[in-house]
Amino acid sequence: MCGILGEFTFDSSLIEKSIFLKLLELSRNRGPDSQKYYSNDKNLQFGFNRLSILDISDLANQPIQSHNERFTMVFNGEIYNYKEIRKILQKNSFNIKSTGDTEVLVNAFSLFGIEQTINMLDGMYAIALFDSKNQSMNLIRDFAGIKPLYYALNKNRLVFSSQYNQISNHPSFYNNEIDLQVLKLYLAQHFIPAPFGLLKNSFQLEPGEIITFDMNGNYRKNHYWEMPKYVEPTIFNKGEANELIKTELENAVKSELVSDVPVGAFLSGGVDSSLICYFAQKNMSEKLNTITIGNDSVVHDESKEAKIIIDSIGLNGKIKKIDANIFHALFEEFSNSITEPFADLSLIPTFYASKISKIDFSVGLTGDGGDELFFGYERFWSIAKNIKIQNYPYPLKYIHYLYDKIFHENNNINGASLFNNQCDAHFDLHCRFKVEMVNKIFPYLKDVEYPFVNNNYDYPNTKNEMELIQYMRHAEFYGMMQKTLRKVDQASMANSLELRVPILKKSFIEASLKIDPYLNYGPNVAKASRKKILLKKIFNNMIPSVRFDELKRGFTIPLSSWLRHELFNLFQSAIINKSSIDYFDMEKKELTKLMDSHKNKDIDHKWPIFTIFALLKWRNNQQV
């Protein structure tokens, strides 16, 4: 895992090397082990900060060229099946000197070409590949979007990087205006999804995308893999489904244990990370080091559940608790790690977990992705249960809704039914900073539309429940899951830790799509245990003593309480800041009211507060 930076110009000069290296230094935490630079002294310069994981010798340093010198490459990530590709290269007379994946990858492009190589890869990656023969630059992002890749483009140059602040600090782009549509989307969704960037002319590659730029700045885009919106399931038998998941998940975990440095894992009290830890321990000779983050809230803390799992599997588990005082001590370091506007609350405990983990291991496994693939979120069924009345006229829908609210506490019909479109209701479930409040604090955004080009929350209303929940799974894969992956990358890389996501191995994803969704969760499953029932069954068959409850916690914290007491002054001084208020043209009176109502009126505004805080911290962290 590393940090990459590059510049490709079109009939224009490169920025000075000293300025380029200053930008490269911004991602030093992503790769503290070595820093390298390359330029063709014409239209290309590459920078690389290395975190040594596979082949820790100098032979695996980047930037790197193919043996025939056609391709020059920097890449951030890991290729798990590089040994199989290496054997093919050796049969074709390639003399591979290193023992890692980097030299294998750049020479695979030389032998097979770009598309065939990408289709061979099993891994996570953000790749920049310069083709000297065609004088073209290829940017490539892994199919699930595990690793980020940002870029900015104007008539003179292309700049690309692992961190958004390297784009927003570049001399050609730091004065670009804020894209108001993207700002409004950020405030609603608490992160900026691909393909957007907050500054105009800045972007992100989408998961599974290749963009090729020629020497004149023209480009073409291609998606080599996409999550299908709908798949006809082929496996309806629980036993067959369990066996498939068990086999494929163990294979995924085993393949991602490949490392030349110590490997550990993040463990919550849930089934996803527990399965990852079980299969990792099964395929290791020594005890697996794990980290669990608890806290001082009974509602949010999962450390007791995690302790049971640690003892049951036989892990070398470390449990640490975070409270307001610990976070207060970490506040400056945490704030400085915000390289883009990003406001998932669990970024805080994930940052703390990454910091502690680095003491024991440099590579960690996580259980992210299970909720999206196996319908683990309540919102799937929150919307699906309204399907029969979704197309009713609004007055009739409202009567049904009101009746159910009075007599059944909305167990059968809820507020999602009042939206005209199921996809709009789905989008709204992710909005914790409601538009009415946004318009008070940012009044100039009132008439601004969301930038819904390539909007994944754009699927048709349907009366077919199987269609609906699969449309929602697709939206979660490119929505909520991307936010989670961004959190994991930002928190871990700030602490020079590589995190891997076995559930998002391509073969495992494709296997999961074959399974009837109703085997995991739905109207025909007992409510007491209806979330991710297949995953729980697999774990219970291996360790019968462990039972998982229905509460979804993960690495969470009682931020609402902290913001009313220990952390109020800290966040207030960060938010009520004249320079930032002026830059984003916010209403100071409304900001003050937001903070005061959270503290004094017990109105929970933690999401708006943290969302504004992250936006302002990104701005304050700008180096220019």
Side-chain angles (χ1 to χ4, degrees):
M1 202 69 67
C2 309
I4 66 175
L5 174 66
E7 185 180 44
F8 181 51
T9 61
F10 324 121
D11 193 28
S12 180
S13 60
L14 297 163
I15 62 169
E16 293 181 14
K17 181 180 177 181
S18 61
I19 298 174
F20 184 88
L21 291 177
K22 185 177 180 181
L23 290 172
L24 181 60
E25 195 64 27
L26 294 176
S27 65
R28 173 65 87 168
N29 284 346
R30 300 184 72 92
D33 296 329
S34 71
Q35 184 178 92
K36 298 296 180 182
Y37 170 85
Y38 168 85
S39 176
N40 65 1
D41 297 320
K42 180 184 175 184
N43 63 343
L44 170 70
Q45 53 185 341
F46 274 150
F48 186 75
N49 288 317
R50 184 182 180 195
L51 178 62
S52 300
I53 302 296
L54 296 174
D55 188 347
I56 60 177
S57 75
D58 290 344
L59 290 173
N61 282 340
Q62 301 180 47
I64 189 171
Q65 288 187 320
S66 58
H67 289 186
N68 63 4
E69 298 185 352
R70 175 178 174 178
F71 292 105
T72 306
M73 181 189 78
V74 285
F75 104 98
N76 167 33
E78 302 291 349
I79 307 302
Y80 305 125
N81 62 334
Y82 73 94
K83 291 182 180 180
E84 291 87 343
I85 300 173
R86 177 193 177 102
K87 290 178 182 178
I88 300 173
L89 290 172
Q90 289 174 327
K91 288 180 180 179
N92 284 272
S93 302
F94 281 79
N95 179 23
I96 306 297
K97 297 178 181 179
S98 64
T99 60
D101 55 358
T102 302
E103 187 182 5
V104 169
L105 179 58
V106 72
N107 284 292
F109 286 123
S110 178
L111 178 61
F112 302 112
I114 294 175
E115 290 194 15
Q116 186 176 345
T117 298
I118 291 301
N119 288 326
M120 294 171 65
L121 299 184
D122 171 17
M124 54 182 182
Y125 44 83
I127 302 170
L129 185 73
F130 176 68
D131 183 344
S132 61
K133 180 180 177 180
N134 295 328
Q135 286 292 299
S136 63
M137 179 64 68
N138 301 275
L139 301 183
I140 309 164
R141 191 177 181 197
D142 69 70
F143 70 96
I146 300 172
K147 302 316 302 172
L149 187 50
Y150 305 91
Y151 69 99
L153 182 68
N154 60 25
K155 64 180 181 179
N156 296 318
R157 73 191 69 242
L158 165 72
V159 179
F160 45 90
S161 63
S162 295
Q163 291 182 181
Y164 186 71
N165 65 335
Q166 292 172 298
I167 299 293
S168 59
N169 276 291
H170 191 281
S172 293
F173 299 100
Y174 71 81
N175 278 329
N176 286 18
E177 294 179 356
I178 296 287
D179 187 320
L180 297 185
Q181 289 186 313
V182 176
L183 174 60
K184 187 167 185 175
L185 181 61
Y186 164 74
L187 295 170
Q189 296 287 281
H190 318 290
F191 85 118
I192 299 173
F196 307 113
L198 185 61
L199 299 182
K200 290 183 177 180
N201 299 319
S202 69
F203 312 92
Q204 304 170 57
L205 262 73
E206 297 180 313
E209 185 175 46
I210 301 174
I211 308 181
T212 301
F213 299 84
D214 68 21
M215 60 189 300
N216 298 313
N218 302 312
Y219 62 89
R220 65 179 185 276
K221 296 183 177 183
N222 174 43
H223 281 85
Y224 63 89
W225 191 92
E226 293 183 72
M227 161 76 83
K229 281 194 173 182
Y230 181 82
V231 179
E232 197 65 47
T234 58
I235 297 177
F236 300 90
N237 178 273
K238 288 183 180 179
E240 184 181 356
N242 282 343
E243 192 59 35
L244 177 66
I245 294 171
K246 180 180 177 181
T247 300
E248 290 290 344
L249 187 54
E250 180 169 3
N251 288 339
V253 172
K254 187 175 180 180
S255 72
E256 298 193 15
L257 290 173
V258 177
S259 173
D260 291 329
V261 295
V263 178
F266 281 10
L267 175 66
S268 69
V271 65
D272 303 330
S273 61
S274 299
L275 279 169
I276 298 302
C277 290
Y278 177 89
F279 287 126
Q281 186 62 81
K282 181 181 176 182
N283 288 280
M284 294 176 65
S285 56
E286 67 278 4
K287 279 196 171 185
L288 177 71
N289 289 316
T290 65
I291 182 67
T292 299
I293 300 300
N295 56 68
D296 52 0
S297 166
V298 176
V299 175
H300 298 87
D301 185 38
E302 276 188 323
S303 59
K304 290 183 180 179
E305 292 87 345
K307 182 64 167 62
I308 294 171
I309 294 163
I310 289 168
D311 293 340
S312 299
I313 297 176
L315 306 169
N316 185 24
K318 181 184 288 185
I319 296 176
K320 293 288 185 177
K321 293 204 172 186
I322 186 171
D323 58 26
N325 292 326
I326 291 174
F327 180 59
H328 194 289
L330 285 174
F331 185 76
E332 184 174 355
E333 184 182 354
F334 171 80
S335 298
N336 291 338
S337 75
I338 297 176
T339 57
E340 63 178 291
F342 181 83
D344 188 321
L345 303 183
S346 60
L347 181 64
I348 294 172
T350 306
F351 180 90
Y352 186 50
S354 298
K355 186 176 181 65
I356 294 171
S357 297
K358 186 62 179 178
I359 299 170
D360 298 317
F361 52 86
S362 294
V363 174
L365 306 181
T366 81
D368 295 307
D371 287 305
E372 288 79 12
L373 294 182
F374 293 96
F375 306 94
Y377 295 120
E378 180 64 34
R379 54 183 165 266
F380 282 105
W381 309 102
S382 232
I383 294 177
K385 68 185 180 182
N386 303 299
I387 200 165
K388 292 181 180 178
I389 70 165
Q390 192 71 54
N391 292 326
Y392 285 8
Y394 182 86
L396 188 56
K397 285 196 295 186
Y398 189 79
I399 291 171
H400 279 81
Y401 160 76
L402 197 60
Y403 178 87
D404 201 79
K405 181 178 181 179
I406 294 171
F407 294 104
H408 302 289
E409 298 181 335
N410 287 136
N411 283 328
N412 305 304
I413 296 170
N414 60 26
S417 66
L418 302 179
F419 286 82
N420 291 331
N421 301 307
Q422 291 158 330
C423 62
D424 292 338
H426 188 186
F427 176 83
D428 187 71
L429 287 176
H430 287 289
C431 298
R432 314 289 180 81
F433 193 168
K434 295 304 180 183
V435 67
E436 296 81 12
M437 186 178 292
V438 169
N439 291 339
K440 289 180 180 179
I441 298 174
F442 301 84
Y444 56 89
L445 294 178
K446 183 175 182 180
D447 296 322
V448 173
E449 300 290 333
Y450 293 120
F452 282 163
V453 178
N454 303 321
N455 172 29
N456 63 283
Y457 292 99
D458 184 16
Y459 48 83
N461 278 1
T462 178
K463 296 180 181 179
N464 183 319
E465 188 172 75
M466 180 69 76
E467 283 186 349
L468 173 60
I469 60 176
Q470 289 206 46
Y471 291 160
M472 291 184 68
R473 176 174 62 186
H474 176 272
E476 291 289 320
F477 188 91
Y478 290 109
M480 178 66 180
M481 194 183 80
Q482 298 303 312
K483 182 167 74 168
T484 299
L485 293 173
R486 194 78 53 80
K487 170 198 70 181
V488 167
D489 179 81
Q490 184 166 304
S492 62
M493 286 286 89
N495 292 282
S496 307
L497 175 73
E498 173 178 303
L499 291 182
R500 298 175 177 177
V501 195
I503 288 175
L504 296 182
K505 189 176 189 290
K506 188 190 295 185
S507 59
F508 184 75
I509 291 176
E510 292 174 345
S512 73
L513 297 179
K514 299 175 183 178
I515 297 169
D516 179 10
Y518 288 145
L519 293 181
N520 286 294
Y521 184 178
N524 298 322
V525 178
K527 187 174 181 179
S529 60
R530 65 187 186 180
K531 292 180 181 177
K532 296 185 287 190
I533 189 169
L534 289 177
L535 299 183
K536 292 176 183 177
K537 183 66 175 175
I538 291 169
F539 194 90
N540 292 152
N541 285 343
M542 298 182 297
I543 303 183
S545 60
V546 175
R547 289 290 182 269
F548 298 97
D549 64 29
E550 282 296 286
L551 296 178
K552 173 66 180 170
R553 301 186 190 96
F555 284 173
T556 54
I557 53 171
L559 187 60
S560 296
S561 175
W562 295 358
L563 286 173
R564 289 193 179 98
H565 303 101
E566 300 94 335
L567 300 183
F568 178 81
N569 291 335
L570 204 60
F571 273 78
Q572 185 181 53
S573 63
I575 289 175
I576 310 301
N577 176 288
K578 186 178 187 306
S579 175
S580 298
I581 290 173
D582 290 346
Y583 180 79
F584 287 102
D585 198 16
M586 294 182 289
E587 293 292 324
K588 181 179 178 180
K589 180 180 178 182
E590 294 297 334
L591 277 176
T592 303
K593 186 185 299 184
L594 175 75
M595 296 295 299
D596 289 345
S597 61
H598 181 90
K599 181 180 181 181
N600 300 319
K601 297 182 180 179
D602 282 340
I603 301 174
D604 193 351
H605 289 320
K606 63 178 177 289
W607 279 98
I609 290 171
F610 194 69
T611 301
I612 293 173
F613 163 79
L615 177 69
L616 303 188
K617 277 300 175 184
W618 163 76
R619 173 60 187 170
N620 292 340
N621 288 342
Q622 292 288 85
Q623 301 294 306
V624 296

